[in-house]
Amino acid sequence: MAVRFNIRDDKRGNLTTVKRLLPYLWEYRWRVGAGLALLVLARSANVSVPIVLKFIVDALEGMSAGANSVSDSVSGFASDSAGVAVGVALALVVGYGALRFASVLFNELRNVVFSRASVQIIHRISTEVLRHLHDLSLGFHLDRKSGVLSRGLERGTGAVSGFLRMFVFNIIPVAFELLAVVTVLLVQFEIQFAAITVGVVVLYSIFTVKMTRWRVQFRVQMNRAESEAHGLALDSLLNYETVKLFGNENMEATRYGDSLMGWVRASLKSNSTLAWLNIGQAAIVAGGLTALLWLAAQGVASGALTLGDFVMINAFLIQLYIPLNFMGSIYRDINHSLVDMHDMFGLLDIKPEVVESPNAKALRVDNGAIRFDKVSFAYKIGDANDNTVRMALRDIDFQVPGGRMVAVVGPSGAGKSTLSRLLLRFYDPAAGRILIDGQDLRAVTLSSLRAAMGVVPQDTVLFNASIGYNIAYGRPQAAREEIAEAARIARLDEFIAQHPQGYDILVGERGLKLSGGEKQRVAIARAALKGAPILIFDEATSSLDSRAEKAIQLALERVAQNSTTVVIAHRLSTIVGADEIIVLDQGRIVEQGAHDALLARDGLYAQMWKLQKEAADHPDVADVADAADSTNANQDAGAAAAHRAE
């Protein structure tokens, strides 16, 4: 699904978008002001060129007329006058060349001065948007496609660059030059010359604005279709291995092609209407140029105007109408930039679901005691207009004493991983509260909360960088020796030593060059390096074989030795030594106690333990988790256990 932000192509929406840029421009106001001053100098020199050209033509015309009227026996005084006229003409020619050069020089200096402000503004906005995307809640990202978001960010930052370049380098210069040309025409000639020039510009602008505002709908359609196609392509490439496993290359190509057809249709409409826009613009400019030159020619014929005046008017119009001829494209591109910027600023307008309290304080961890106090939570499963929810947790109440290990088990979908997400405050509870050392998580800063926790997730996703970088992500400022020690704790040191690249081994996109067990070892090393007082192990050994699991289990115990630990597990053999085991089913705590006590209770935990033991004794039995989820006996045992718990 493409990201959509209710784009409105109206003056108010465009003005609002432009206003969003003003604070960034104000930050670089001195550089922007210097750029505008150079712009005025450049356009002043440009406007002066036709005026100097008029004097050159008039001087040359006077010299030619004088030469025809003077006999070969011209007096010395006449010769001196001719020499002065030649000198004036040559001086004007030199001035003409100097003004041409000055126009280019001031333009380039303007580019140099303003470009620094432009790239700094783009840098600021890009960083701000990315930071804001990271601040948005997990629910937002679960509902969006990463490819669509990255494409929107890319287009938005490009649009800022395009808008600033076109506005400062095209719109303002043409407007200033038009004002200067109209002023000269009003002073030097009859009012109809200025009236026709202004009339042509106004008619041209109205036609261009109307056509372009109508055509912008096709740009919006192109953006949506392109974002959706880009998202599908990126999703397909990220899941390259799955595509190959099922031989669905043709299906992915077809999905991408079908999605791209929306862009093709919108692009064809955009191109065809562009042709009509260009034809209309050319007709208006040609009509205005013909009318002005007709008046100028009549003036020269009647003697009211000189040949230099005719040349100056023609030069003015050519100099003005050539950039004006591109104003349609510029206006169109500015509208496209406004649409793209609106998309990007729309991301900044999205409010995070989880926000810090204005009076939030840093979390103070004394012994790391955790308390879930009658916590309930529901996931929203509908779209923006659908408030359908699915209850994940109901009245969860338990505590983890500081320095102790508590395990959470239960069938798939029981709500185990939701506990860890709430503890990390990716979501806030719908009811109840969560405390660490008596401090409500909603009253502490998010950075201090997450700094106090080390997580080993079930599905470890790594950056497409070196294995050393991925381990050091737990504590980026760690020394090389500390990274090596963390790798040794996670039993990664032997694997790394086998490769000539050592810690510079590239792990590939999402870590796909590593096996599942190797990725989990990286996650364990990361958690060990972080050294957090609270640890969350979410199926931390699920991708390991039995022999590796025992080794890693010892490593995990060493990492968790002085920490408060919450272990989420399917494989019950890994948590028999936990101080307390909490059994969840359908979002409720149905059993709670130590391993031996839960077995003696003969409830859901005992049923799960028997199933796993049978699977271990008989390898032909289906996977334990699947067996637990698919066995109806589980549901009966869960219901009975819930009844006893109540």
Side-chain angles (χ1 to χ4, degrees):
M1 180 183 295
V3 180
R4 302 181 181 185
F5 298 111
N6 297 324
I7 299 169
R8 297 186 310 158
D9 179 37
D10 55 24
K11 295 179 181 178
R12 183 180 301 173
N14 289 342
L15 184 61
T16 301
T17 302
V18 173
K19 282 182 178 178
R20 299 291 291 269
L21 280 178
L22 295 182
Y24 302 98
L25 287 169
W26 181 251
E27 186 176 348
Y28 299 94
R29 54 191 177 277
W30 300 114
R31 188 171 288 274
V32 172
L36 292 176
L38 288 168
L39 183 151
V40 170
L41 291 174
R43 304 323 285 187
S44 297
N46 207 40
V47 170
S48 300
V49 166
I51 298 174
V52 173
L53 183 61
K54 160 193 161 52
F55 289 123
I56 292 173
V57 172
D58 286 344
L60 293 176
E61 184 184 21
M63 289 171 58
S64 176
N68 292 332
S69 61
V70 177
S71 63
D72 293 335
S73 58
V74 68
S75 66
F77 176 77
S79 297
D80 291 341
S81 297
V84 171
V86 170
V88 170
L90 291 176
L92 289 170
V93 169
V94 173
Y96 178 87
L99 287 171
R100 283 285 187 188
F101 174 73
S103 175
V104 175
L105 175 65
F106 290 133
N107 264 329
E108 294 305 317
L109 289 176
R110 174 203 62 185
N111 294 350
V112 171
V113 170
F114 188 78
S115 291
R116 183 173 180 83
S118 176
V119 297
Q120 291 291 345
I121 289 171
I122 294 168
H123 176 268
R124 277 281 312 280
I125 293 176
S126 301
T127 305
E128 185 178 336
V129 173
L130 183 61
R131 187 184 300 276
H132 183 74
L133 287 175
H134 280 295
D135 288 340
L136 291 178
S137 307
L138 178 62
F140 169 84
H141 289 279
L142 292 177
D143 289 338
R144 301 303 196 277
K145 292 186 177 180
S146 299
V148 175
L149 289 176
S150 65
R151 186 61 176 157
L153 176 59
E154 178 186 349
R155 271 205 311 259
T157 53
V160 172
S161 174
F163 177 82
L164 293 174
R165 184 181 64 256
M166 287 180 288
F167 198 79
V168 175
F169 295 170
N170 297 101
I171 299 294
I172 294 178
V174 170
F176 178 83
E177 192 163 345
L178 174 63
L179 180 63
V181 167
V182 170
T183 302
V184 172
L185 292 177
L186 282 172
V187 172
Q188 294 290 326
F189 308 104
E190 296 179 4
I191 192 172
Q192 58 262 39
F193 285 90
I196 291 174
T197 302
V198 172
V200 169
V201 172
V202 171
L203 182 60
Y204 183 96
S205 300
I206 292 174
F207 174 76
T208 300
V209 168
K210 293 288 186 182
M211 276 290 285
T212 305
R213 286 172 64 83
W214 174 68
R215 293 182 64 250
V216 77
Q217 61 181 306
F218 304 123
R219 176 68 178 190
V220 175
Q221 294 172 11
M222 287 171 62
N223 279 1
R224 290 175 176 171
E226 184 186 27
S227 293
E228 185 169 352
H230 180 77
L232 286 174
L234 183 61
D235 196 35
S236 178
L237 292 173
L238 289 176
N239 291 282
Y240 167 84
E241 193 171 7
T242 304
V243 174
K244 302 298 287 185
L245 284 174
F246 290 92
N248 285 334
E249 296 90 343
N250 290 335
M251 186 184 79
E252 291 299 321
T254 301
R255 288 179 66 212
Y256 177 70
D258 291 345
S259 179
L260 207 58
M261 278 305 298
W263 174 84
V264 170
R265 288 189 291 269
S267 181
L268 289 174
K269 290 178 182 177
S270 179
N271 291 335
S272 61
T273 54
L274 175 61
W276 290 109
L277 174 63
N278 291 336
I279 291 171
Q281 290 170 340
I284 294 170
V285 169
L289 185 60
T290 301
L292 282 170
L293 291 182
W294 179 273
L295 286 176
Q298 286 182 329
V300 172
S302 65
L305 301 178
T306 66
L307 186 60
D309 290 327
F310 182 88
V311 172
M312 182 179 71
I313 292 172
N314 184 63
F316 267 146
L317 297 178
I318 291 175
Q319 197 164 279
L320 181 63
Y321 285 160
I322 285 178
L324 190 63
N325 196 43
F326 294 102
M327 289 303 290
S329 299
I330 293 169
Y331 179 78
R332 182 192 69 240
D333 291 340
I334 284 180
N335 268 275
H336 294 171
S337 295
L338 289 170
V339 170
D340 293 340
M341 284 193 296
H342 186 87
D343 281 6
M344 182 181 66
F345 287 132
L347 290 172
L348 289 175
D349 290 335
I350 298 174
K351 303 299 181 184
E353 296 175 11
V354 176
V355 294
E356 286 185 357
S357 166
N359 302 317
K361 298 179 180 179
L363 176 67
R364 186 188 71 258
V365 180
D366 297 325
N367 55 16
I370 300 170
R371 171 72 191 277
F372 278 74
D373 183 14
K374 299 186 182 304
V375 171
S376 296
F377 177 75
Y379 287 106
K380 183 178 179 180
I381 59 177
D383 56 23
N385 300 316
D386 185 357
N387 293 321
T388 304
V389 297
R390 176 178 63 84
M391 289 300 299
L393 298 174
R394 304 170 189 268
D395 297 322
I396 299 298
D397 197 297
F398 70 90
Q399 58 185 350
V400 184
R404 297 295 188 89
M405 177 186 290
V406 169
V408 182
V409 301
S412 293
K416 302 186 298 298
S417 294
T418 302
L419 288 177
S420 66
R421 290 176 173 179
L422 291 173
L423 191 55
L424 287 160
R425 211 181 165 210
F426 288 156
Y427 301 101
D428 280 333
R433 57 183 185 154
I434 305 172
L435 303 98
I436 295 178
D437 285 337
Q439 302 159 86
D440 193 321
L441 299 193
R442 286 171 289 202
V444 302
T445 61
L446 291 171
S447 58
S448 65
L449 171 65
R450 290 164 189 167
M453 297 190 187
V455 183
V456 180
Q458 178 179 4
D459 183 18
T460 302
V461 179
L462 304 180
F463 292 95
N464 190 2
S466 68
I467 197 169
Y469 174 87
N470 278 283
I471 295 174
Y473 205 78
R475 186 154 53 90
Q477 69 274 19
R480 189 78 172 192
E481 295 76 16
E482 293 175 301
I483 296 172
E485 174 62 16
R488 190 187 65 77
I489 291 174
R491 294 296 185 93
L492 260 177
D493 52 337
E494 293 181 6
F495 167 75
I496 293 172
Q498 293 173 359
H499 290 263
Q501 294 173 299
Y503 285 88
D504 294 327
I505 304 167
L506 294 178
V507 303
E509 188 78 44
R510 298 185 299 131
L512 289 178
K513 286 186 177 181
L514 303 182
S515 69
E518 288 162 352
K519 287 197 294 183
Q520 281 197 322
R521 289 169 190 251
V522 172
I524 293 168
R526 225 161 31 187
L529 182 65
K530 187 173 183 180
I534 299 173
L535 295 176
I536 301 172
F537 298 150
D538 188 354
E539 296 291 346
T541 61
S542 62
S543 296
L544 302 176
D545 56 67
S546 298
R547 186 176 64 176
E549 181 187 41
K550 291 181 180 179
I552 294 300
Q553 195 65 33
L554 293 174
L556 290 174
E557 290 173 4
R558 180 178 175 185
V559 171
Q561 190 171 10
N562 298 314
S563 302
T564 303
T565 309
V566 176
V567 180
I568 297 169
H570 263 308
R571 201 176 296 178
L572 304 186
S573 59
T574 63
I575 49 90
V576 292
D579 296 299
E580 187 170 26
I581 299 171
I582 294 171
V583 185
L584 290 183
D585 188 31
Q586 297 182 7
R588 295 182 183 274
I589 297 178
V590 294
E591 294 178 338
Q592 189 171 351
H595 171 72
D596 291 338
L598 291 175
L599 288 181
R601 192 169 183 175
D602 196 25
L604 177 59
Y605 182 84
Q607 291 291 327
M608 294 173 65
W609 178 264
K610 290 176 183 177
L611 287 169
Q612 292 192 12
K613 194 172 186 308
E614 290 174 4
D617 294 339
H618 305 285
D620 56 324
V621 176
D623 179 76
V624 174
D626 292 337
D629 289 339
S630 62
T631 305
N632 291 331
N634 255 9
Q635 299 176 359
D636 298 335
H643 178 71
R644 287 193 295 270
E646 292 171 356

